[in-house]
Amino acid sequence: MPRIIKTEVICLASERYRESSKVVTLFSRNSGKLMAVAKGARRPKSRFGAALERFAVSRVTFYWHENRTRYTLSDAELIRSFPALAELPQRYLAAEQITEFLLRTGRPFDPAHYVLHEGTGQLFRLTTAYLEVLEASKSNFRQLVASYLLKAASFLGFRPELERCVLCRRMLSGHQVSFDSERGGTVCQQCRPAPKGRTLSEVERRALAQLLRLPAARLGAASDIGALDADFLPLALEYVSSHLDPLILNSFRWETL
């Protein structure tokens, strides 16, 4: 029997469907990622309006039916949109990178277990917070994406260790270390005299720890991040790719085209 479900969602992707409709991929606050058809969404006076635009946060109603993987939306109410994301190419790319990560790694919607999943709720709040900060930011886009990736990996069970050596468990202070993605974090020189992975100074290690620890709103200000000129995005991407294999994020390739 069909069941009506209401939930808050982030629109991760949208594509045309037939003459006037859309197929959208949504990430639900409650139960993860789902695909849905919005009939007539591309008509000029559609009841869906801007609620199904990329990056929009909305409250949707859809019909669940057993044995279906694509659902039909009956209503969508816009909660928050981010129009300024499109004003700068680097800002839009950062938003694209964040939402593609969620698109590739988000927990699939499971109608048989429609309950609040802690990790799913954390990812939903994290993503909306970073989209809000990105929309107001004029710089630091790569650092914000790096911060998002490290925090999202933590919510998925892969929090990087940045305060202790992952091998001997000694606290790190005042010494150069290496970041080993496969091991899950920092390694001291005593355990690995010949560094494997990226070498970090003490200032860089502390800056990386700030990206993991500080809320998104504070990271929007350059003064809150030490060693801001250091580019941690390749390191963060390597880390999540090591622990969430296979992970292919096409939006990260656009910078090199």
Side-chain angles (χ1 to χ4, degrees):
M1 292 291 292
R3 192 170 87 197
I4 298 175
I5 293 178
K6 296 182 178 181
T7 184
E8 291 182 13
V9 299
I10 302 169
C11 184
L12 303 180
S14 174
E15 59 183 270
R16 293 184 176 186
Y17 181 66
R18 296 181 177 174
E19 292 185 1
S20 60
S21 302
K22 284 183 178 181
V23 173
V24 290
T25 303
L26 309 171
F27 188 81
S28 163
R29 175 191 288 272
N30 295 79
S31 295
K33 188 174 59 178
L34 61 102
M35 292 185 68
V37 175
K39 295 181 179 180
R42 294 194 294 116
R43 292 174 182 159
K45 296 183 179 180
S46 167
R47 66 182 181 278
F48 297 110
L52 301 180
E53 297 297 322
R54 291 289 306 279
F55 314 127
V57 180
S58 305
R59 185 176 294 106
V60 301
T61 303
F62 64 93
Y63 296 99
W64 170 78
H65 196 285
E66 190 176 4
N67 299 325
R68 290 187 182 177
T69 58
R70 182 183 291 181
Y71 310 102
T72 300
L73 292 180
S74 63
D75 191 31
E77 175 191 355
L78 180 66
I79 297 174
R80 176 77 159 85
S81 63
F82 304 94
L85 290 174
E87 292 179 359
L88 293 174
Q90 299 94 331
R91 183 188 291 163
Y92 188 88
L93 176 59
E96 177 72 20
Q97 290 169 337
I98 284 175
T99 52
E100 188 187 3
F101 176 85
L102 195 58
L103 182 68
R104 305 299 179 199
T105 63
R107 176 177 177 265
F109 178 78
D110 184 357
H113 299 88
Y114 183 67
V115 295
L116 182 62
H117 186 271
E118 182 180 2
T120 299
Q122 288 174 324
L123 281 175
F124 185 94
R125 292 189 296 273
L126 182 74
T127 304
T128 55
Y130 272 78
L131 290 176
E132 288 177 1
V133 172
L134 276 174
E135 188 181 39
S137 298
K138 296 182 179 179
S139 61
N140 299 345
F141 303 126
R142 290 174 65 83
Q143 301 293 48
L144 285 167
V145 175
S147 173
Y148 175 86
L149 292 178
L150 294 174
K151 290 177 181 178
S154 300
F155 293 154
L156 294 172
F158 301 100
R159 183 179 178 86
E161 175 59 72
L162 298 172
E163 303 296 335
R164 296 176 180 269
C165 173
V166 295
L167 298 179
C168 68
R169 304 305 299 166
R170 285 195 292 259
M171 292 292 295
L172 303 170
S173 179
H175 299 288
Q176 192 177 71
V177 298
S178 61
F179 186 88
D180 189 330
S181 293
E182 294 181 1
R183 291 281 189 179
T186 45
V187 180
C188 69
Q189 289 182 314
Q190 287 81 1
C191 291
R192 185 171 292 159
K196 177 183 178 183
R198 176 169 170 173
T199 300
L200 300 175
S201 67
E202 175 65 7
V203 173
E204 289 177 322
R205 183 187 69 80
R206 289 182 180 275
L208 189 59
Q210 284 183 305
L211 292 184
L212 179 62
R213 183 179 67 254
L214 293 179
R218 285 193 60 189
L219 293 175
S223 60
D224 283 327
I225 310 175
L228 189 61
D229 291 337
D231 186 0
F232 294 116
L233 185 53
L235 180 150
L237 183 59
E238 179 186 346
Y239 180 78
V240 298
S241 298
S242 297
H243 295 277
L244 299 171
D245 186 58
L247 180 62
I248 299 174
L249 299 171
N250 294 320
S251 60
F252 286 87
R253 301 177 181 178
W254 295 353
E255 297 169 317
T256 61
L257 295 180

